[in-house]
């Protein structure tokens, strides 16, 4: 692993606007992301949204205009928090179940920039006017509702960090991952022993025949993708037709 701290490149910078700064780096302080953090491949800054509250009670939310359940994050407080990170690198995204689904392409796009700024919502979400004012793009982790943007931010940052140059040991291990190769899901994985509780590793993997192993893995990846994710399977077939590179 190259140590970027020793050269002149500045680390990829994550700026997180949140009511819970203590949630960061959280899981990103461990394992691959944690080592990359220590090595200076990325760094992060949290902005405590509550520190921009102006009243005595440090209020950040208010009841929904028009009625209804829950609370809405106040535009004035969020606006000040956003203004405070105007100079931080990268696009500003609001994590939201209403957003464009986060995927491989977005992870690559963000990893190739100098960083990202993530606005984490809580309660019912953020007053629309502040999203409009800053023209903030909304990005979703998936079709479910989290109780806050922080877990989504952690997941998205993890996906970006592992793509930063030098973070993963070997570039080829990245290429083999689910989605990285033409949107196919990964083939089944096995390790020793070859016989475990009477269950055998497929013979082909013991053959030492690299071409046959590659073909088997591709077939399995196709089989699993077609069975589990028709959406990705169609995408794969479409791409394969266009590039004529069906291996
Ligand atoms: N009332 C909203 C849900 C609010 S959940 C709705 O019905 O759409 C509170 C916060 O959690 C949101 O502001 C958002 O920042 C975050 N959040 C919830 N689900 C998310 C998801 N799938 N992806 C990204 N962020 C999410």
């Amino acid at each position: 692993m190259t140590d970027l701290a020793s050269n002149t490149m500045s680390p990829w910078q994550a700026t997180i606007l949140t009511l819970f700064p203590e949630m960061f780096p959280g899981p990103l302080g461990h394992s691959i992301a944690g080592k990359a953090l220590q090595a200076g491949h990325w760094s992060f800054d949290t902005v405590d949204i509550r520190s921009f509250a102006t009243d005595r009670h440090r209020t950040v939310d208010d009841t929904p205009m028009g009625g209804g359940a829950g609370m809405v994050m106040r535009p004035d407080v969020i606006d000040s928090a956003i203004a405070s990170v105007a100079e931080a690198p990268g696009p500003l995204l609001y994590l939201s179940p209403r957003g464009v689904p986060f995927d491989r392409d977005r992870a690559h796009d963000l990893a190739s920039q100098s960083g990202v700024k993530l606005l984490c919502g809580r309660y019912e979400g953020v007053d629309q006017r502040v999203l409009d004012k800053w023209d903030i793009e909304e990005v979703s982790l998936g079709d479910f509702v989290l109780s806050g943007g922080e877990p989504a931010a952690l997941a998205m940052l993890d996906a970006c960090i592992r793509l930063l140059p030098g973070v993963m040991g070997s570039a080829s291990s990245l290429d083999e991952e689910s989605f990285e190769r033409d949107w196919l899901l990964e083939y089944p994985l096995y390790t020793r022993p070859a016989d475990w509780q009477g269950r055998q590793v497929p013979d082909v993997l013991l053959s030492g025949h690299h071409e046959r192993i590659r073909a088997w893995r591709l077939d399995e990846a196709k089989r699993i993708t077609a069975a589990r994710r028709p959406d990705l399977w169609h995408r794969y077939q479409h791409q394969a037709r266009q590039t004529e590179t069906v291996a």
Side-chain angles (χ1 to χ4, degrees), residues 73 94-99 119-126 139-153 156:
M73 295 180 86
Y94 170 49
L95 302 166
S96 153
R98 258 180 356 199
L119 172 60
C120 301
R122 282 273 154 181
Y123 318 116
E124 292 306 318
V126 173
V139 178
S140 168
L141 192 62
D143 292 338
F144 43 79
V145 178
L146 299 165
S147 42
E150 291 80 5
M156 289 181 197

Side-chain angles (χ1 to χ4, degrees), residues 91-229:
L92 171 64
L93 305 176
Y94 170 49
L95 302 166
S96 153
R98 258 180 356 199
V100 181
F102 184 77
D103 67 5
R104 172 195 84 167
D105 287 347
R106 180 56 65 100
H108 277 284
D109 166 49
L110 293 177
S112 71
Q113 304 199 40
S114 47
V116 67
K117 296 181 268 196
L118 299 177
L119 172 60
C120 301
R122 282 273 154 181
Y123 318 116
E124 292 306 318
V126 173
D127 187 298
Q128 184 62 38
R129 291 165 296 179
V130 75
L131 299 175
D132 293 341
K133 172 181 167 180
W134 293 90
D135 196 21
I136 303 175
E137 188 183 357
E138 301 184 39
V139 178
S140 168
L141 192 62
D143 292 338
F144 43 79
V145 178
L146 299 165
S147 42
E150 291 80 5
L154 289 166
M156 289 181 197
L157 291 174
D158 184 75
C160 294
I161 290 161
R162 61 204 305 285
L163 297 176
L164 299 174
V167 168
M168 297 289 279
S170 104
S172 68
S173 83
L174 266 182
D175 297 340
E176 292 289 310
E177 309 261 29
S178 289
F179 311 120
E180 289 304 331
R181 201 184 43 198
D182 303 327
W183 296 96
L184 288 180
L185 299 177
E186 195 172 55
Y187 47 79
L189 302 171
Y190 298 90
T191 183
R192 277 183 284 268
D195 177 332
W196 176 73
Q197 296 189 353
R199 294 168 188 268
Q200 315 296 328
V201 167
D203 282 342
V204 61
L205 299 180
L206 308 173
S207 69
H209 196 302
H210 297 302
E211 200 40 57
R212 276 183 26 220
I213 291 172
R214 200 182 5 252
W216 179 85
R217 286 178 168 166
L218 180 60
D219 282 349
E220 285 294 294
K222 288 181 184 174
R223 180 183 62 77
I224 290 170
T225 307
R228 296 184 189 177
R229 293 290 302 275

Side-chain angles (χ1 to χ4, degrees), residues 9-10 15 17 23 36-37 50 57 69 83 88 92 102 121 123 130 145 152 179 219 221 227 231 235 237:
M9 247 177 92
S10 53
T15 306
L17 294 87
M23 288 189 184
L37 181 60
R50 197 172 296 279
H57 301 290
L92 171 64
F102 184 77
Y123 318 116
V130 75
V145 178
F179 311 120
D219 282 349
D231 56 326
R235 205 162 173 167
Q237 289 178 308

